[in-house]
Amino acid sequence: ITAGWTPVLVIPVTAKTDLSTAHCYPVPFKPTLGHTKITFTNLTAAARIRIYTISGELVRVLDKNDSGKTLDWDVRNARDSAVDSGVYLWLIESAVQKKKGKLMIIR
């Protein structure tokens, strides 16, 4: 290493090959704490996320088709309205796997 040069470690952020560690944050989502989005992370390159109310009504569908491992949700429904406080269910689907979970929104 020559004087004046600093070694750099480059860690590529690439899509996962499975959904075993997929999750979302922040949970609970609280705009009063400055939260503006919910991030789904550890996703595969191609993934579809469906968000449902606790009663099973489809709220939003998000599609991801890139080499990154995250996808942000603006916490709005398909009609572009802010989603109400409550518990929601999410389902992530890739070509060969599914993973589901819950999240909470507190407005």
Side-chain angles (χ1 to χ4, degrees), residues 9-56:
L9 175 63
V10 177
I11 302 172
V13 178
T14 58
K16 305 296 257 176
T17 56
D18 67 69
L19 296 173
S20 62
T21 60
H23 64 281
C24 64
Y25 64 89
V27 176
F29 172 85
K30 294 182 179 181
T32 58
L33 296 180
H35 300 161
T36 59
K37 63 186 176 187
I38 293 176
T39 300
F40 289 85
T41 190
N42 295 337
L43 301 174
T44 56
R48 172 168 278 178
I49 301 170
R50 288 187 176 96
I51 300 158
Y52 297 91
T53 64
I54 202 75
S55 63

Side-chain angles (χ1 to χ4, degrees), residues 19 43-51 60-65 71 90-95 97 99:
L19 296 173
L43 301 174
T44 56
R48 172 168 278 178
I49 301 170
R50 288 187 176 96
I51 300 158
R60 184 85 182 261
V61 177
L62 306 168
D63 287 311
K64 178 187 170 302
N65 288 299
L71 181 63
W90 52 260
L91 173 66
I92 303 171
E93 295 177 287
S94 70
Q97 279 185 300
K99 184 164 186 181

